[in-house]
Amino acid sequence: MNLFAVRKQLDQVLYPFVSRIAKLPIRANQWTLIGALVGLACGIAFLFGQWWLGFALLLARGLTDHIDGFVARNYGQRSTFGAVMDDVTDRWVLGIIYAGGCLYLSFDYPHVLIVLGFGITGSLCNVIVKLSVYAESQQDVFREAGKIGHPIDVVGLFGSAEFIIYFGSGVLFTAIFQDPRPLLAGCWAVAIMSHASLFQRIYFAWQRYRRVDPAALVENDTETAG
């Protein structure tokens, strides 16, 4: 299970702060764009070894990601385009941030480029398996407060919040001790845990859908409609 499962509790903790910022005359999609720019700046900061600045931008990026959804839900600004761009921006930003840290480390630890490849691949495949399950198991898809969901959302040990914890902890301790090894450990953690999460999601799909015939579902739907 990942932190997505306890998102509502986290929302309650952040509500007083987020609700005040949300009153600014900035639309949800604009918040998404701001988050993308903050994430890009964060990746650049890590690329040049500016750990404290990068850490602050990492936290700011996490906050803006929370704000855009809050504004969309509470100010009547939900849209399918906004939901798509929010998901795309999240993955793009995390890739940029991760790459920035890994590329900086590669000068002293060349093998981290391989770690970068595994981390990006693991994270990407996590998204792909999730979207594939969404597409192939429409019978289990639901909507809650307008947001599409699926039981696979809470499967796996790795998600956006976990990335911030693993990678962010490495950045924090690297900034404190001025030692790149904690960040190196954080990069390894992302690569390892993203693959562990991927295998969990594949096992979930195997266990839940290995005996489900999609053709039979289509036939049942046709009979019901007739």
Side-chain angles (χ1 to χ4, degrees):
M1 183 174 67
N2 53 51
L3 290 177
F4 189 89
V6 294
R7 185 170 181 173
K8 290 183 179 179
Q9 289 84 343
L10 295 176
D11 287 348
Q12 292 175 357
V13 173
L14 293 173
Y15 177 81
F17 184 63
V18 171
S19 60
R20 292 182 180 179
I21 297 180
K23 294 178 181 179
L24 294 172
I26 303 175
R27 297 185 63 81
N29 288 345
Q30 293 172 332
W31 277 114
T32 301
L33 177 59
I34 291 171
L37 295 176
V38 172
L40 177 61
C42 180
I44 294 172
F46 289 146
L47 180 61
F48 289 97
Q50 300 298 314
W51 307 121
W52 284 116
L53 174 61
F55 184 71
L57 290 171
L58 181 65
L59 295 181
R61 157 60 199 166
L63 183 61
T64 56
D65 182 42
H66 197 80
I67 293 171
D68 62 2
F70 182 91
V71 172
R73 290 190 301 272
N74 293 279
Y75 289 85
Q77 297 177 21
R78 293 194 188 102
S79 69
T80 299
F81 172 78
V84 170
M85 290 310 300
D86 181 51
D87 286 340
V88 170
T89 300
D90 284 349
R91 275 62 186 183
W92 182 80
V93 162
L94 295 183
I96 291 293
I97 292 172
Y98 186 60
C102 287
L103 289 175
Y104 177 88
L105 292 175
S106 67
F107 292 103
D108 294 321
Y109 305 96
H111 79 276
V112 82
L113 293 176
I114 300 175
V115 178
L116 170 61
F118 272 99
I120 293 292
T121 301
S123 300
L124 178 62
C125 288
N126 259 288
V127 176
I128 292 174
V129 71
K130 179 178 175 180
L131 294 179
S132 296
V133 169
Y134 266 60
E136 297 293 342
S137 60
Q138 290 291 310
Q139 69 273 19
D140 288 334
V141 173
F142 61 87
R143 283 190 180 274
E144 184 177 352
K147 184 74 172 179
I148 194 171
H150 189 283
I152 199 173
D153 290 338
V154 298
V155 175
L157 296 171
F158 183 83
S160 299
E162 285 77 12
F163 173 88
I164 293 176
I165 292 173
Y166 304 146
F167 188 79
S169 295
V171 172
L172 177 61
F173 286 109
T174 288
I176 292 173
F177 298 113
Q178 291 299 302
D179 185 338
R181 287 176 294 180
L183 178 58
L184 180 62
C187 293
W188 269 101
V190 170
I192 293 171
M193 297 308 292
S194 63
H195 279 81
S197 181
L198 174 61
F199 294 140
Q200 285 180 295
R201 287 180 167 178
I202 291 173
Y203 179 72
F204 167 86
W206 174 81
Q207 192 174 43
R208 192 178 183 103
Y209 300 114
R210 69 183 184 277
R211 293 189 178 92
V212 176
D213 181 0
L217 293 174
V218 173
E219 290 173 3
N220 291 336
D221 290 341
T222 302
E223 292 175 0
T224 302

